[in-house]
């Protein structure tokens, strides 16, 4: 939660910078989104491995979805794996295939 709060504060700083300069520095916004995606992915890995607490596959999947939505390729691969095996729900090979395809197109 502290890391998520930090990410939100950093996003606000970018917003403040946008207002000061009257334009959107897209390159800075991209960096904030990448950091948020990396953070969500890392938290997902912690939930899968049980680092810092108990293993929670549903929470891991939620974090991988969050990171995937921000373009995190490894998170897409983890979600595809989870869908292929039905780790947190029924096997969903269609969704898994879409995730694999997107991850490959993005450079997996």
């Amino acid at each position: 939660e502290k890391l998520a709060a930090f990410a939100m504060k950093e996003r606000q700083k970018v917003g403040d910078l946008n207002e000061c300069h009257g334009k959107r520095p897209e390159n800075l916004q991209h960096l904030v989104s990448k950091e948020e995606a990396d953070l969500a992915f890392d938290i997902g890995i912690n939930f899968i491995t049980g680092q810092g607490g108990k293993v929670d596959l549903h929470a891991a999947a939620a974090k991988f979805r969050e990171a995937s939505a921000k373009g995190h390729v490894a998170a897409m691969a983890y979600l595809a794996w989870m869908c292929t095996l039905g780790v947190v729900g029924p096997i969903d090979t269609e969704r898994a295939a879409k995730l694999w395809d997107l991850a490959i197109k993005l450079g997996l």
Side-chain angles (χ1 to χ4, degrees):
E1 301 230 8
K2 289 181 182 178
L3 292 174
F6 171 77
M8 290 302 294
K9 285 180 185 177
E10 292 302 307
R11 176 171 275 193
Q12 181 60 45
K13 288 179 187 176
V14 171
D16 293 344
L17 181 63
N18 292 343
E19 290 174 20
C20 291
H21 295 287
K23 59 182 179 179
R24 293 185 54 85
E26 296 299 330
N27 59 333
L28 291 179
Q29 187 60 43
H30 171 72
L31 292 175
V32 171
S33 294
K34 183 183 179 331
E35 286 183 15
E36 289 175 347
D38 289 343
L39 176 62
F41 176 74
D42 291 344
I43 293 170
I45 291 294
N46 287 344
F47 280 127
I48 262 191
T49 61
Q51 288 181 317
K54 293 171 59 175
V55 170
D56 186 338
L57 299 177
H58 290 278
K63 285 299 179 179
F64 292 148
R65 278 192 290 281
E66 179 183 332
S68 292
K70 296 178 187 319
H72 199 283
V73 177
M76 292 175 198
Y78 271 85
L79 270 180
W81 165 76
M82 294 176 103
C83 290
T84 299
L85 299 177
V87 173
V88 294
I91 292 173
D92 189 346
T93 55
E94 185 177 324
R95 183 169 182 219
K98 288 178 183 177
L99 286 163
W100 282 122
D101 284 346
L102 183 57
I104 290 166
K105 285 177 185 174
L106 293 174
L108 180 64

